[in-house]
Amino acid sequence: MVSNQTQPKTAFVFAGGGSFGAIQVGMLHALAAHGIVADVVFGSSVGALNGAYYAGAPTIDDIKQLEAIWRGLHRRDVFQVTWRTMLGFVPRRDFLATSEGFRQLIDKHFALSKSRRRKNPDPRRRH
């Protein structure tokens, strides 16, 4: 019998870069549909959001919910650029859009509530 420490581990690594987020979810769906699950998840920027969501909700149904979030997103949901923010950019010159849209997105879709946390999120394990 092989010990658990010598078993190979599957890691998913999610890169940053806004549009990669949607692509990652499509890949997650394909992997989950074939029964491939991660033992460990890493990510940066948008990849960290997808990775955190997946780590807390790794089933195919959960991934479909993540797909729905991505399909419903618009640029203005994350990057709330208005004439006011553009005028504010001129004297400040450090950012064009505030992080408010991004924060709202996280609070609405990505923050794990008590009802969404799972005692045993691993779909390979039986309760």
Side-chain angles (χ1 to χ4, degrees):
M1 177 187 235
V2 178
S3 79
N4 202 15
Q5 293 177 339
T6 60
Q7 290 284 351
K9 302 287 184 198
T10 301
F12 291 170
V13 180
F14 300 96
S19 60
F20 285 129
I23 295 166
Q24 292 166 358
V25 176
M27 289 187 288
L28 270 177
H29 188 136
L31 291 167
H34 287 88
I36 301 169
V37 296
D39 296 304
V40 63
V41 178
F42 301 93
S44 67
S45 192
V46 72
L49 287 177
N50 282 339
Y53 192 100
Y54 173 80
T59 68
I60 190 74
D61 289 335
D62 296 317
I63 293 167
K64 287 178 182 178
Q65 289 177 352
L66 185 57
E67 286 175 348
I69 293 168
W70 275 100
R71 286 190 176 138
L73 282 181
H74 301 280
R75 182 204 46 81
R76 68 183 175 275
D77 295 332
V78 179
F79 300 107
Q80 299 173 347
V81 178
T82 64
W83 282 108
R84 184 177 179 195
T85 59
M86 289 195 300
L87 289 174
F89 176 71
V90 174
R92 220 180 24 238
R93 297 187 189 268
D94 56 349
F95 61 88
L96 180 60
T98 68
S99 60
E100 186 58 29
F102 192 60
R103 288 179 191 272
Q104 290 173 0
L105 174 73
I106 292 170
D107 289 344
K108 182 176 180 182
H109 297 293
F110 291 86
L112 289 176
S113 67
K114 287 183 182 179
S115 64
R116 200 168 140 242
R117 288 188 188 118
R118 302 194 193 301
K119 290 181 182 177
N120 184 4
D122 190 341
R124 295 173 292 192
R125 295 166 132 176
R126 303 273 182 222
H127 294 286

